[in-house]
């Protein structure tokens, strides 16, 4: 029983560690996706995948100016970077 409980706690902790930020801005206040993508590309990012995360933030997978892989979450209203993995 103790082993099962320990495994459950570790599994839940690992899931939380990989979760992105949560955005609570009402959708009507979000930047248009096209405007957001243009802004990010002007900053030197190359977007391979764009999506709205489970936490309702804009999320990109791609490359930065130096060609390094990035996964970044952004505030959908302001375009501010919230978290980088």
């Amino acid at each position: 029983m103790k082993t099962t409980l320990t495994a459950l706690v570790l599994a839940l902790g690992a899931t939380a560690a990989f979760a992105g930020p949560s955005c609570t801005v009402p959708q009507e206040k979000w930047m248009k996706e096209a405007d957001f993508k243009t802004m990010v590309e002007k900053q030197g990012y190359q977007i391979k995948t764009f999506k709205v995360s489970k936490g309702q933030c804009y999320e990109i997978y791609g490359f930065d100016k130096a060609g390094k892989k990035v996964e970044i979450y952004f505030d959908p209203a302001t375009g501010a970077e919230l978290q980088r993995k």
Side-chain angles (χ1 to χ4, degrees):
M1 178 71 164
K2 185 176 181 181
T3 303
T4 304
L5 182 58
T6 301
L8 179 61
V9 169
L10 289 174
L12 291 175
T15 302
F18 290 107
S22 181
C23 296
T24 58
V25 178
Q27 196 164 7
E28 62 270 7
K29 294 186 178 184
W30 290 10
M31 294 176 80
K32 293 180 184 175
E33 288 182 19
D35 293 341
F36 170 77
K37 290 177 185 179
T38 299
M39 179 190 78
V40 170
E41 289 170 343
K42 284 182 179 178
Q43 293 174 5
Y45 293 99
Q46 194 175 47
I47 301 171
K48 291 294 181 186
T49 303
F50 167 85
K51 67 180 191 175
V52 176
S53 70
K54 291 180 182 177
Q56 295 297 300
C57 301
Y58 282 165
E59 180 180 7
I60 66 161
Y61 295 85
F63 301 92
D64 64 12
K65 292 179 191 177
K68 182 180 175 187
K69 281 187 173 183
V70 293
E71 175 185 352
I72 309 174
Y73 294 87
F74 296 88
D75 181 295
T78 65
E81 184 177 321
L82 299 174
Q83 183 177 349
R84 182 182 294 244
K85 293 184 178 181

